[in-house]
Amino acid sequence: MTRYLLGVTFEGGVVDTPIEEWKPEEIQAHLDYYGALNRELRASGELVGGMLLTGPDLAKVVTSDGATAPVVTDGPFAEFKEWLAGYQIVDVESEERAIEIAALVSAAPGPGGEPTQQPIHVRRIMDEGPSTPDE
């Protein structure tokens, strides 16, 4: 099995309306869809984990030389829509299955029940990091 990270950004897909402006029943349908999908993926053993992340306004960038106190800053930041909003880690048989799951995430309902078509980033998780310069 191979693990993949499915990254969700703040890009709205075909939906321009921020979720804060959706009707309560539209938000609930969106959340219910994610809940059902996550239960299905957990039951199949494919969902390893996932989390929602706070917005970029609460993010920090940390740099350190290892000897002095770290430097903590608020940026620079990419555009808001490019920031990671959440992620799922799936353990699947193939990249094709990871893409199938990403498509299900992208189809989460938005206003009027229409699929959001939100872009989902699919990245394979390395089994091991490089340990030599040649790797």
Side-chain angles (χ1 to χ4, degrees):
M1 300 279 273
T2 306
R3 292 178 301 152
Y4 288 85
L5 181 133
L6 308 181
V8 179
T9 66
F10 285 96
E11 292 179 77
V14 298
V15 176
D16 291 332
T17 307
I19 197 167
E20 298 84 21
E21 296 177 18
W22 296 8
K23 296 176 186 170
E25 61 271 18
E26 293 169 336
I27 295 171
Q28 191 61 56
H30 186 79
L31 297 174
D32 290 347
Y33 179 92
Y34 271 111
L37 178 58
N38 286 341
R39 284 190 298 278
E40 179 183 320
L41 294 173
R42 267 191 224 98
S44 70
E46 294 173 305
L47 183 62
V48 174
M51 291 287 171
L52 295 175
L53 303 173
T54 61
D57 56 322
L58 299 176
K60 303 289 184 224
V61 177
V62 178
T63 56
S64 175
D65 63 7
T68 60
V71 176
V72 181
T73 62
D74 289 336
F77 292 119
E79 286 191 42
F80 177 77
K81 67 182 181 177
E82 296 166 346
W83 274 81
L84 194 62
Y87 66 91
Q88 294 170 297
I89 296 175
V90 295
D91 194 5
V92 293
E93 292 289 336
S94 65
E95 180 181 51
E96 290 76 20
R97 179 60 181 149
I99 290 171
E100 287 174 7
I101 295 169
L104 293 170
V105 174
S106 178
E114 294 296 318
T116 60
Q117 300 179 48
Q118 185 175 23
I120 306 300
H121 300 248
V122 177
R123 296 195 53 191
R124 185 174 176 176
I125 296 173
M126 296 174 69
D127 294 326
E128 293 182 27
S131 57
T132 67
D134 293 335
E135 292 177 342

